[in-house]
Amino acid sequence: MWRIFGGLFLGWSLGANHCANIFGTAVASGLLRFSQALWLTAAYVVLGAVVEGTKCVSTYAKLAYVHADTAFILTSSTAVTMTALTRAGVPASTSQALVGAILGWSLLNSSPDFSQLTKIVICWTLTPLSALIASSLLHRGLEKLVTVQIKSFSARNRFYFVAVLVTGCYAAYSLGANSVANVTGVYVTSGLLDLRLGALIGGLSIASGVLTYSGRVMMTVGKGIVPLDPFSAMVVVFAEAATLHLFTQVAVPVSSSQAVVGAVVGIGFVKGLQTINKRVVLKIGLGWVLTPICAGMLTLGLHSLFLLVGADSLQSFFAKAFAFIGQLNLR
């Protein structure tokens, strides 16, 4: 069971990186306090993971068979990649990192099922585009409706606050339902965890990352791409949540980071292209390209080392590694 610590590390790094996708725009626009955002996100992530988190797990099972030892290597490599991107303040994709890690491992052991990979990559492309279109249409459609129906400035702000709370909780629920497969899916397919326990443990580990280390990425999403007013923040969160929930129903784990960035850029299209910080968008896009490559290369390197020392299990690998260190004269 100690192997699931790789998954717990990954869940923590996912929560730390993706919390910004839920209430980052609301915190940056002044609608919500940071502490409120953290606790609401953590609670609804766990709820989404437990209620609907099992739907996306089967997709990873079709991509490649994974042994319990391999699951530890894959999740640890993915977690290191995600933690590095979180330190850099880049909202990255855990599903891209994990699929890159699986493919890196598969290159030495088996042939990956590229029919499943094609489906996943198509959904990666569609995720930011869907969120971009949704936020643009919602902004144009709802702005006139809210302006006409709510005349008072204070009443309008109260409406934005309640709407952001509701849509943010929905987005956190969707994040838990869609992303928990990234955290413990490989442990379920390896037989180390059953579906329900995997969903619960994955949800709790994501919540721990949300509560302890999520501040760095939040301002990149909330302020770095396009300046957002309270109404735009509400639209972004709702467009992201709807996009994630849609892909959960077709059992494909996609990126909440790509959804929220697509939604924010959609607001930029409505307000004018000059409002979009192209340098930040380019930095995020580069992070998306490098994410699966780095995770795949890291996994490939670890697994090559594993084969080089001739270990038949992780216990054997660690025993040989410690014996080698013990033989070194470190004085």
Side-chain angles (χ1 to χ4, degrees), residues 185-205:
V186 289
Y187 292 100
V188 173
T189 57
S190 70
L192 202 61
L193 297 174
D194 65 41
L195 269 176
R196 291 295 175 191
L197 184 59
L200 176 61
I201 290 175
L204 290 173
S205 64

Side-chain angles (χ1 to χ4, degrees), residues 242-268:
T243 303
L244 281 184
H245 204 188
L246 173 67
F247 282 106
T248 301
Q249 303 317 305
V250 296
V252 176
V254 293
S255 169
S256 62
S257 301
Q258 292 179 339
V260 76
V261 170
V264 173
V265 172
I267 298 298

Side-chain angles (χ1 to χ4, degrees), residues 22-306:
I22 307 302
F23 283 118
T25 54
V27 171
S29 64
L31 278 176
L32 206 63
R33 291 199 301 272
F34 183 63
S35 59
Q36 291 174 319
L38 297 188
W39 286 106
L40 284 171
T41 303
Y44 279 90
V45 158
V46 175
L47 182 65
V50 171
V51 175
E52 289 195 85
T54 59
K55 291 181 177 177
C56 295
V57 172
S58 59
T59 301
Y60 282 126
K62 294 174 183 174
L63 190 61
Y65 171 76
V66 175
H67 185 268
D69 284 349
T70 308
F72 175 81
I73 295 174
L74 294 177
T75 51
S76 298
S77 301
T78 305
V80 169
T81 303
M82 291 302 297
T83 302
L85 290 166
T86 302
R87 287 286 302 168
V90 176
S93 166
T94 306
S95 56
Q96 281 187 342
L98 185 59
V99 169
I102 291 175
L103 294 178
W105 171 81
S106 298
L107 289 175
L108 288 180
N109 290 276
S110 61
S111 298
D113 184 349
F114 284 104
S115 64
Q116 291 298 317
L117 181 62
T118 303
K119 175 184 175 184
I120 292 173
V121 171
I122 290 174
C123 289
W124 286 348
T125 307
L126 291 177
T127 299
L129 288 177
S130 302
L132 187 154
I133 294 170
S135 67
S136 300
L137 294 178
L138 283 170
H139 194 283
R140 287 194 173 96
L142 290 177
E143 188 176 30
K144 292 180 181 176
L145 183 65
V146 171
T147 305
V148 170
Q149 295 296 326
I150 307 175
K151 301 294 185 184
S152 164
F153 178 77
S154 58
R156 203 175 291 168
N157 271 347
R158 285 196 297 274
F159 168 77
Y160 292 149
F161 176 73
V162 173
V164 161
L165 277 184
V166 173
T167 53
C169 291
Y170 174 40
Y173 174 90
S174 300
L175 175 67
N178 191 275
S179 297
V180 74
N182 296 325
V183 178
T184 51
V186 289
Y187 292 100
V188 173
T189 57
S190 70
L192 202 61
L193 297 174
D194 65 41
L195 269 176
R196 291 295 175 191
L197 184 59
L200 176 61
I201 290 175
L204 290 173
S205 64
I206 296 171
S208 70
V210 169
L211 293 172
T212 59
Y213 199 67
S214 57
R216 186 176 290 268
V217 181
M218 191 167 281
M219 289 303 110
T220 300
V221 173
K223 288 184 175 178
I225 303 172
V226 175
L228 296 176
D229 53 70
F231 173 73
S232 299
M234 177 195 73
V235 169
V236 164
V237 176
F238 184 71
E240 176 213 356
T243 303
L244 281 184
H245 204 188
L246 173 67
F247 282 106
T248 301
Q249 303 317 305
V250 296
V252 176
V254 293
S255 169
S256 62
S257 301
Q258 292 179 339
V260 76
V261 170
V264 173
V265 172
I267 298 298
F269 280 175
V270 174
K271 292 186 172 183
L273 293 178
Q274 72 279 2
T275 63
I276 301 174
N277 188 330
K278 297 177 181 61
R279 179 174 294 181
V280 173
V281 173
L282 184 63
K283 174 185 175 184
I284 293 172
L286 183 62
W288 289 353
V289 173
L290 292 178
T291 296
I293 296 174
C294 291
M297 292 180 65
L298 187 57
T299 304
L300 190 61
L302 284 174
H303 201 61
S304 298
L305 184 62
F306 197 80

